[in-house]
Amino acid sequence: DLERAHRSLHDVVSTKNAAEMQSEVFKADLMKSEALYKEAKLKISSLQSNILELQEKGRLFDDLVRKQQTGEAEILNLRKLVENTEESMRKLVLKDAKNQEKLLNAEKKIELLGMDKSLLQKELTIVTDRALRVEENVKKLENDLHEVTIKKDALLLQLNQGREELEADYTLKLETE
């Protein structure tokens, strides 16, 4: 029985040794696992930090892309505005040139009308002078006509008186004869 007890003890010691060895291996594995766990936890923390950092950078990048798109749209609108403004300016320059030409033509017409007015005023002065002289001549002729009419009437009266006298003399002579 001793042997059995010995064997049993040996088995127990062997089992104990095996269990201790397993315990040592388990402790070593546990320490390795803890180290790996800590390392994994650090990597996860680092990756989470990187993810947060990348998310922030992504958000900033998205903001920059939106700003760029907004800026490009604004540039496009400004280019269109510049094109429209340039077109309006070209039209205004053409209109101004036409207006300048019209103004120049109007100034020429005004100058010609001024010359015509001056000539017409001279002609009016000449015609007015002629009309005044004609009027004076008409008055003079009317006065002459009036005087001639008076003389004619006087002469007709003398003629009638002379005729009557001649008739009376003739009648008298006929009666006396």
Side-chain angles (χ1 to χ4, degrees):
D1 267 342
L2 199 53
E3 225 178 267
R4 239 194 216 172
H6 188 283
R7 230 196 244 157
S8 216
L9 184 60
H10 183 0
D11 282 342
V12 168
V13 169
S14 280
T15 303
K16 182 183 170 199
N17 283 342
E20 282 178 359
M21 229 163 103
Q22 276 183 344
S23 176
E24 289 292 322
V25 169
F26 180 73
K27 281 182 184 178
D29 284 346
L30 183 62
M31 288 170 82
K32 281 183 186 177
S33 291
E34 283 179 359
L36 287 174
Y37 174 76
K38 285 180 183 177
E39 189 180 316
K41 200 171 178 184
L42 284 173
K43 277 189 177 182
I44 288 171
S45 177
S46 173
L47 288 173
Q48 284 176 335
S49 177
N50 285 345
I51 287 171
L52 290 175
E53 194 177 306
L54 288 174
Q55 284 176 338
E56 180 62 22
K57 286 181 181 179
R59 189 184 59 74
L60 291 174
F61 178 77
D62 290 343
D63 287 347
L64 287 175
V65 168
R66 276 192 295 280
K67 284 180 182 178
Q68 178 188 1
Q69 289 171 344
T70 302
E72 287 174 353
E74 193 172 326
I75 287 171
L76 186 62
N77 287 337
L78 289 173
R79 282 185 180 154
K80 286 180 183 177
L81 180 63
V82 166
E83 287 175 13
N84 291 341
T85 303
E86 286 174 346
E87 182 63 25
S88 294
M89 291 287 287
R90 279 191 290 273
K91 287 179 181 177
L92 285 174
V93 166
L94 288 175
K95 192 173 184 178
D96 185 53
K98 287 180 183 177
N99 286 340
Q100 289 295 331
E101 185 178 338
K102 285 180 182 177
L103 181 62
L104 184 62
N105 288 339
E107 287 173 351
K108 286 180 182 177
K109 284 181 182 178
I110 289 172
E111 185 180 334
L112 290 173
L113 288 172
M115 291 168 57
D116 287 347
K117 179 184 174 187
S118 178
L119 287 174
L120 288 173
Q121 284 177 335
K122 287 178 184 177
E123 286 183 27
L124 180 64
T125 302
I126 292 170
V127 168
T128 303
D129 289 345
R130 283 183 188 164
L132 288 174
R133 281 186 292 218
V134 166
E135 194 175 314
E136 287 173 5
N137 284 340
V138 166
K139 284 182 182 179
K140 186 178 175 188
L141 289 173
E142 283 176 348
N143 284 338
D144 290 348
L145 179 63
H146 184 63
E147 288 176 16
V148 167
T149 304
I150 291 173
K151 285 182 183 178
K152 177 187 103 177
D153 288 344
L155 286 173
L156 280 176
L157 187 60
Q158 280 179 352
L159 181 65
N160 280 335
Q161 284 175 353
R163 198 182 286 161
E164 285 176 4
E165 283 178 15
L166 280 176
E167 251 181 49
D169 281 345
Y170 180 71
T171 317
L172 211 73
K173 263 190 188 180
L174 277 175
E175 287 180 7
T176 45
E177 278 185 32

